[in-house]
Amino acid sequence: YVVPCILQDSLGYLWFGTFYGVARYDGYSIVSYTNREGDSTSITNSIVNAICDDKDGNIWFGHSRGLDKFNPSTEIFTHYILNPDMPLTDWSQHVLSLHEDKDGMFWICTGDGLYVFNKFTETFTCFKHDSTNPYSISSNSINSIIEDRSGTLWFATGKGFNKFDKVRKQFF
């Protein structure tokens, strides 16, 4: 099995994202979650690239066809399409990294743009490189994100790293 990502959630479970779905390990046994054709409550795509938990106890999965939220209480997946104007096979749907910041905003790094998901309004904002704007993100290929102790967001892109100013909504 190829395992591109691992997460230990707030309850201590280990989650493994694989090219065959998701595996949850509780220290004794493994439970697998895969895409089941025709079942809208299963994970959308079994090739999982990114895992993140949020402050509400949900587990989020990024894959090559968007984003899924897993509710551990109901064991139901909710599907989100990042860019409804593009086909599911477009790089803008291909999630590479996930992060919930200290303000509760959910950041989604993709192969073609950076998305911010507001969980309260369930809306997406997209940031893309703009060659006419020196304060736009340096590349549309965003590979990774980290938040430092002061709350500053840093992004690894196809053209270097970027720091994000949340107040001005500018990249440096």
Side-chain angles (χ1 to χ4, degrees):
Y1 284 91
V2 176
V3 182
C5 51
I6 300 173
L7 169 79
Q8 184 170 27
D9 70 17
S10 59
L11 299 175
Y13 293 115
L14 291 176
W15 295 85
F16 301 91
T18 76
F19 284 6
Y20 300 99
V22 176
R24 182 187 71 201
Y25 180 61
D26 65 4
Y28 302 99
S29 61
I30 294 175
V31 175
S32 295
Y33 301 91
T34 59
N35 175 262
R36 293 184 306 274
E37 188 83 25
D39 183 351
S40 65
T41 66
S42 72
I43 194 165
T44 304
N45 188 290
S46 292
I47 300 174
V48 177
N49 302 311
I51 306 174
C52 181
D53 58 348
D54 67 19
K55 294 170 181 69
D56 300 321
N58 298 303
I59 311 296
W60 295 78
F61 301 98
H63 44 73
S64 60
R65 293 184 178 227
L67 181 68
D68 284 355
K69 176 179 73 173
F70 179 74
N71 180 325
S73 300
T74 62
E75 296 211 346
I76 291 176
F77 289 85
T78 303
H79 315 298
Y80 297 93
I81 297 172
L82 304 175
N83 187 347
D85 297 330
M86 299 302 289
L88 285 177
T89 54
D90 188 75
W91 277 104
S92 63
Q93 313 288 6
H94 193 106
V95 177
L96 301 172
S97 185
L98 300 169
H99 176 74
E100 182 184 37
D101 71 18
K102 69 178 188 171
D103 300 320
M105 299 303 284
F106 209 73
W107 297 81
I108 303 125
C109 303
T110 77
D112 189 26
L114 172 67
Y115 292 83
V116 183
F117 181 61
N118 183 323
K119 294 186 308 181
F120 308 106
T121 62
E122 293 208 337
T123 57
F124 290 96
T125 302
C126 181
F127 292 97
K128 288 209 173 194
H129 174 68
D130 176 355
S131 60
T132 65
N133 179 357
Y135 300 108
S136 72
I137 196 157
S138 62
S139 170
N140 287 336
S141 178
I142 297 98
N143 303 311
S144 186
I145 177 177
I146 192 166
E147 184 174 9
D148 66 23
R149 288 185 184 119
S150 69
T152 300
L153 297 171
W154 297 84
F155 299 91
T157 77
K159 292 189 177 177
F161 66 91
N162 290 186
K163 174 183 172 181
F164 184 66
D165 182 326
K166 288 182 183 179
V167 175
R168 296 186 191 134
K169 297 193 182 321
Q170 295 177 337
F171 294 88
F172 297 94

